[in-house]
Amino acid sequence: MKIAVFASGNGSNFEAIANQIRAENNEAELVLLFCDRKQAFVIERSRQLGIPSYSFSPADFTSKTEYEEAILALLQENQIELIVLAGYMRLIGTTLLMAYQQKILNIHPALLPDFPGLHGIRDAFEAQVSQTGVTIHLVDDGVDTGPIIAQEAVSLEVGETLESLERKIHQVEHRLYPIVIQQFIEELEMSKN
Ligand code: GAR
């Protein structure tokens, strides 16, 4: 099963996924990274891991459709079957949604449906909730609205800071996402047989 990861920034989840897939040594293959920001640190991580990266931004195209058609061509050339969003800070449009129905996963740093959007950790922290967490879900055309596959809660302790909460959330993400991706791939493979 050939996988592409999409990311926009730091790429710590990308690295966790890449390492786990290598360690498992099974049918899954992380073939490429797609990044919409040419200066993002995730590109450096992909270089260090020896995983090819491709980067273009919507600003290089006249429309979102053209942008996504270019991505789709890249994915098809590489026979990608599953897209894994890992900090890809853009909405997926119709072109990719139609081509990869039920085959785009996303991770969000809050317990959806609470705190969707770009700042899930900060929004939960500022709301002073007693717990927040991590959600992995299938992508649909809404903002963090697709069917939920897995969630794990994270408690806010007395004296919790935004930074300590971010660390806790990322630790959960790095452990949970690779496991859920692996299970999802196994289910996809079984449904083929
Ligand atoms: C992660 O916390 C991920 O859940 C979040 O961006 C971060 C990327 O970190 N995604 C979203 O907020 C999507 N709405 P990383 O670049 O270090 O993997």
Side-chain angles (χ1 to χ4, degrees), residues 3 5 18 29 34 36 39 41 58 67 81 85 96 113 115 121 123 125 127 134 140 143 149 159 161-162 177 181 188:
I3 304 165
V5 172
E29 185 189 351
F34 174 73
D36 58 329
Q39 310 302 325
F41 185 63
Y67 167 65
E81 288 178 73
L85 307 184
L96 287 174
F115 310 112
I121 305 177
D123 292 347
F125 181 77
V134 172
D140 65 9
V143 180
I149 296 178
T161 63
L162 179 56
Y177 209 8
I181 292 167
L188 276 182

Side-chain angles (χ1 to χ4, degrees), residues 15 25 31 36-37 44-45 50 59 63 77 100 116 140 153 192:
E15 188 166 330
N25 192 24
V31 174
D36 58 329
R37 293 186 190 151
E44 176 55 30
R45 290 189 198 257
S63 68
E77 274 161 31
Y100 284 89
D140 65 9
K192 281 186 191 168

